[in-house]
Amino acid sequence: MIGSASSKEQGKFMRGLKPKRVLITGGASGIGAATAARFLEEGARVVVLDRDVEAGERIQRELPSLSGVVNADVASLDEVKAAFGKAVQMMGAVDVLINNAGISIRHSFLDITPEEWDKVMAVNLTGVFYVAQTAARHMTEKGSGVILQTASTNGMMGYPYYADYNASKAGVIELTKSMALELAPKVRVNAVAPGYVLTPMQRAEYSDEMLEEVNRKIPMRRHAKPEEIAALFAYLASDDAAFATGHVYVMDGAETAGGLASR
C-alpha cells in the first residue's frame, strides 16, 4: 500500500485539511501518489489526474477512498479543462491543487532534440500553466484556494544532463511567484522544490551505482521518500500555513545548503 505512518499515528492532523477538496496532477505514482495518500489520511477528498490509464486504475485500487481518477494529458488545454470540470463534478469544487505532473529525459545538452525539448516543456511548464490558470479562475470565483506546484532544486541550480528539465522547473518557480503576487489574498500559491527523491521516474534513470554516488553527496546520505515530500504539501495546503505564499520550499537533505566546499 502507498503511504507511511498515518496522521493518526503521528498524533496530530494538519488544521483545516479535513474539509478540503484536492486535485492532484500526476497523482497516480511517485510523489503524486504519496501526496494523494497523505491527504486522504488527513480526511480530505481527493481526485487524481493522470495521463497513464493503467496507473490511474492501479491507484484507484490502492486508494479506494479516492473521490475519483480522471485521465488527461496536462499538455492539452482542452483535456485540462474537461478534466478539471470532472473533478468539480466529483467533489463539488476544488480547494487545493497539487500541480505535480512532470517528466524528464536524461540527455547531454548537445543531444537534446527539438522534439524532446518541446515534450518536456509541454508537460512541465505549459501543462503547469494550463492547470494552474484553470484552477485559479475557479478558486478566484469562489473566493479562496491553494495552488501548490512541484518545482525542483534543478530549477535553482545547474545540473548536467537535464538542461530541458532544469529550464522547465526554473520556469515553474517564477510562474509560482508571479501567480502569488496577482492572486493574493484570495489564493495562496507556493512551490515545493524536492532534491533527489526515490520515485519510479528516478529509479528508471539511475543504476544502483549512480544512486549510491548521489547519496554520498547528500548530507543526509539518502534520497527523500515520496511521503516526506507529501507531508510538506499537506502542511502548505493546511490552515497552519495560512500566511505562506509566494515562496519555494526546498526539501533536499541539505544537498544545496553549501557550495563546492560541501561536496
Side-chain angles (χ1 to χ4, degrees):
M1 290 291 290
I2 293 167
S4 56
S6 71
S7 298
K8 290 180 181 179
E9 291 169 345
Q10 293 164 1
K12 188 176 187 292
F13 291 97
M14 297 291 182
R15 287 194 302 148
L17 278 187
K18 189 170 184 178
K20 294 286 194 270
R21 294 157 292 189
V22 184
L23 175 63
I24 304 174
T25 71
S29 64
I31 292 172
T35 301
R38 176 57 188 261
F39 276 97
L40 289 172
E41 289 171 358
E42 293 283 349
R45 298 177 65 185
V46 178
V47 168
V48 160
L49 184 157
D50 204 285
R51 69 179 182 180
D52 187 330
V53 176
E54 290 185 6
E57 293 172 349
R58 184 172 60 251
I59 195 70
Q60 183 75 79
R61 292 192 300 270
E62 293 178 350
L63 300 175
S65 55
L66 283 171
S67 294
V69 175
V70 180
N71 180 244
D73 184 349
V74 297
S76 166
L77 181 56
D78 288 341
E79 291 189 30
V80 165
K81 288 181 176 179
F84 195 90
K86 289 178 183 177
V88 171
Q89 288 176 354
M90 290 171 175
M91 298 187 291
V94 174
D95 303 305
V96 178
L97 167 66
I98 309 296
N99 209 358
N100 170 72
I103 61 172
S104 69
I105 303 171
R106 190 174 190 272
H107 266 178
S108 68
F109 173 71
L110 295 177
D111 291 333
I112 297 172
T113 67
E115 293 77 18
E116 288 169 337
W117 175 271
D118 289 344
K119 183 177 180 180
V120 170
M121 289 296 168
V123 175
N124 291 9
L125 186 53
T126 302
V128 167
F129 163 70
Y130 285 161
V131 181
Q133 189 182 63
T134 302
R137 286 172 173 159
H138 170 78
M139 292 173 181
T140 299
E141 184 176 341
K142 76 182 187 67
S144 65
V146 178
I147 297 175
L148 302 175
Q149 321 210 100
T150 301
S152 172
T153 52
N154 288 61
M156 306 169 72
M157 299 179 61
Y159 285 84
Y161 309 117
Y162 289 98
D164 46 2
Y165 181 83
N166 301 348
S168 71
K169 292 301 184 179
V172 169
I173 288 170
E174 291 307 316
L175 176 64
T176 297
K177 293 178 182 179
S178 299
M179 287 171 57
L181 294 174
E182 293 193 40
L183 298 177
K186 289 183 178 180
V187 180
R188 295 193 295 109
V189 188
N190 289 297
V192 169
Y196 288 95
V197 184
L198 199 55
T199 63
M201 185 170 74
Q202 173 81 349
R203 195 67 185 88
E205 293 180 344
Y206 281 65
S207 65
D208 290 342
E209 293 75 17
M210 292 167 70
L211 287 174
E212 182 54 37
E213 183 180 351
V214 169
N215 287 340
R216 284 196 296 270
K217 79 167 185 171
I218 299 171
M220 291 294 285
R221 295 294 186 268
R222 65 175 178 87
H223 282 50
K225 301 173 184 176
E227 292 80 9
E228 291 170 320
I229 310 302
L232 181 53
F233 275 126
Y235 165 70
L236 290 172
S238 75
D239 291 348
D240 288 320
F243 200 59
T245 192
H247 289 282
V248 181
Y249 293 85
V250 176
M251 184 175 280
D252 68 352
E255 183 210 348
T256 61
L260 288 174
S262 70
R263 296 291 182 262

